[in-house]
Structures are given as C-alpha cells and as structure tokens.
Amino acid sequence: MRAVYAQTQSAGDPISGLRVGELEPPQPPEGFRRVRVKASALNHHDLWSLQGVGLPDERLPMVLGCDAAGIDDDGNEVIVHAVVSSPGWEGDETLDPRRSLLSEKHPGAMADEVWVPERNLVPKPAGLSFEEAACLPTAWLTAYRMLFTVNPAAPGSTVLVQGAGGGVATALISMASAAGYRVWAVSRSEAKREHALRLGAEQVFDAGARLPERVDTVFDSVGEATWAHSLKSLKPGGALVTCGATSGPNPPADLNRVFFLQLKVLGSTMGTRAELQRLVAFLLATGVRPEIDSVLPLEEAEKGFRKMQDGDVVGKIVFRH
C-alpha cells in the first residue's frame, strides 16, 4: 500500500527520515476494522515522531498520521478517532495511562488504509467533505475539549488565543467566536493576525503586546515563548489552558503570580470519541468549518511537512488519497 512513513529519526533534521512509498499492509489486531482513507491531515505530532519524540526507533518504519476520514468495509463514510485506549478501558480514554495515538503503537492514517478499533469510528455526515472531516480528530478535537470541557469561562467571557496561525489556534478562534466568546488573538505575523480577524477574532495583537485589559482564559499551545505573556494577560482567578509546547516545555513557572492572583493552570490533551461526535454536531449546527491551508496529493507529503516545519501555515495541511 502507499504510505507516508518514518524510516529514520533525527532531532536536527527530522524530514530526512520521511519516506513516501510502498509498505506492506499491517496485520491488524483482533477487533480492528479497516478504513480506506480518502483524506488525512498533518499535525506537529508527525514532526515530533520524526524527531524521535514518543516513537521508539524499534517501531520503525512507522506510518505517520493521526487524522483520517474515509470509507469502512461496509461502505460507511467515517471519521477516525485517533486516541486508542487499552483493551477493557472504560470511561474517558484520554485519562487511560496506556492510551496511544495512531502512529505511536499502531500504524497511522497517511496510507491507503488504516486499521482502528471499531469503537474509534464516528459517522461522517454528508455536510462535511472528507478533507474537512480529516482536520477534526487531533487539532479540532483538542480545541473543542479545551474550549468546552476544560475552560471554566462561559460564553460572553473574553479569551485570548496564542499563536494564531496553528491548527488548534484557528479552530479555537472559529469555535469560540461562533459560541459567543469575545476572542482576542496573538501572532508575530501580521498576515496571521489579519486572518484571525477574518475567522472571528474581535482584536489581534503582536506577540508579547500589552492588552487593553486582562482576560478570563488564555489558550496556549506554544509553551515557553508565550508562557510569561499568557500568565500576565489573565485576570485574578483566570485560567491558562495549555495543550502543547511547540516552542519548549519548561518556561519559568512564575509561581508568585500564579498563587497571588489565584490563577488556574489547566492541562488538556486530545479528546474523547463522544466529544468528537459533539464537535461534528457543533460544526453542522453553526456552519463553522475547518480552516484548510492547503490540500496536497499524498505523493507530495514532503512539501506539506516542510511547510509546517517552516511555520508557513494558517490552518490545516491536508493530504488527498
């Protein structure tokens, strides 16, 4: 089968280990079902896999990709939920200490076909294209959980989104605006700030800028580069919701500010199958659709990886299969 996969890993030059070519189809575990992939989407997780983060080299070659939409063997159009819980796990799968994402233990979605547990299939409605649906299982689901499950601030509150060009950030801006939040966004790029306004942000700011007033919640997927600004931007009692650390995981904690102002620091990881179903329903109800930066044929996957590595992205990069 055609696949985009990690052959080798390099912290300094991750894309050197990327291959696009033929691989033997995987031997699926019992209870897994096949999906013939129509579209897959790129995430920072795929670059980290090529750097050796979360993917031991003994599992190479590994098909990359967490996100897929396609058709199962019964002819149903489906979206693939990327969080694979351990056998017998009950409840919120993101809390399963033995959970994994597709492309960590099991071959990922950037291939002609992917095998997943039957419980990981969510019906794809006709109102979403395969390309739009492929954007949802990682970045958009992460944003949905951050905004509607973890975030303590109700609609009408003011929220700040850091790093306004990324997949999670654009999803947060689009959904928060549609849900009635007052949305502010931050980016170093003037073009990305302008784009955030088009997505529904009320105001946009350069990185590190002093805000007109403090906000109820900051959504931060950037980490070290934005952490100090995120904490300084919060009202007393406000919340910083973090889902990632693309610029580094160890910023100064600034504990005096955290305890004196009674700030909340809340972690959020991916989402559940039920949240993915609600995300799909939210998009259908509001008309919001994923922001797609570009759609490339699977054979041109390296071009998409380099675009993400260079930070030249607004929204999602999608591969058509």
Side-chain angles (χ1 to χ4, degrees), residues 83-100 119:
V83 182
V84 181
S85 55
S86 56
W89 176 262
E90 299 290 341
D92 185 333
E93 55 267 37
T94 68
L95 300 178
D96 178 1
R98 295 194 292 150
R99 74 182 186 278
S100 67
R119 64 181 178 273

Side-chain angles (χ1 to χ4, degrees), residues 3-85:
V4 177
Y5 59 96
Q7 179 67 44
T8 60
Q9 296 169 318
S10 167
D13 183 15
I15 296 177
S16 66
L18 183 70
R19 299 289 185 273
V20 182
E22 294 290 323
L23 274 183
E24 284 294 315
Q27 292 299 313
E30 186 177 352
F32 277 46
R33 295 195 64 184
R34 179 170 57 179
V35 174
R36 299 186 187 277
V37 180
K38 292 293 187 181
S40 59
L42 182 61
N43 292 285
H44 279 285
H45 183 274
D46 302 305
L47 279 175
W48 294 331
S49 295
L50 288 164
Q51 290 173 325
V53 179
L55 178 62
D57 60 5
E58 62 264 22
R59 294 183 187 155
L60 300 181
M62 174 62 78
V63 180
L64 298 171
C66 303
D67 296 348
I71 300 174
D72 69 14
D73 283 343
D74 293 330
N76 302 305
E77 296 186 353
V78 294
I79 305 169
V80 175
H81 179 40
V83 182
V84 181
S85 55

Side-chain angles (χ1 to χ4, degrees), residues 252-293:
D254 199 1
L255 290 178
N256 288 342
R257 181 179 297 275
V258 172
F259 69 71
F260 188 73
L261 296 179
Q262 300 183 73
L263 305 179
K264 306 173 189 71
V265 176
L266 304 171
S268 188
T269 293
M270 291 292 290
T272 65
R273 182 185 187 277
E275 287 167 330
L276 180 56
Q277 290 177 298
R278 292 199 295 272
L279 165 60
V280 170
F282 179 86
L283 298 187
L284 295 178
T286 60
V288 171
R289 293 294 183 270
E291 182 72 9
I292 295 177
D293 177 278

Side-chain angles (χ1 to χ4, degrees), residues 150-184:
V150 178
N151 170 32
S157 305
T158 302
V159 300
L160 181 71
V161 179
Q162 294 280 12
V168 171
T170 54
L172 281 163
I173 294 166
S174 299
M175 288 192 288
S177 175
Y181 289 87
R182 182 190 188 204
V183 183
W184 294 353

Side-chain angles (χ1 to χ4, degrees), residues 141-155:
L141 179 58
T142 296
Y144 182 92
R145 183 179 178 93
M146 292 173 78
L147 181 61
F148 296 118
T149 303
V150 178
N151 170 32

Side-chain angles (χ1 to χ4, degrees), residues 224-241:
E224 282 184 21
T226 54
W227 191 259
H229 184 248
S230 293
L231 288 178
K232 290 174 184 175
S233 299
L234 286 170
K235 294 177 180 177
L240 195 167
V241 182

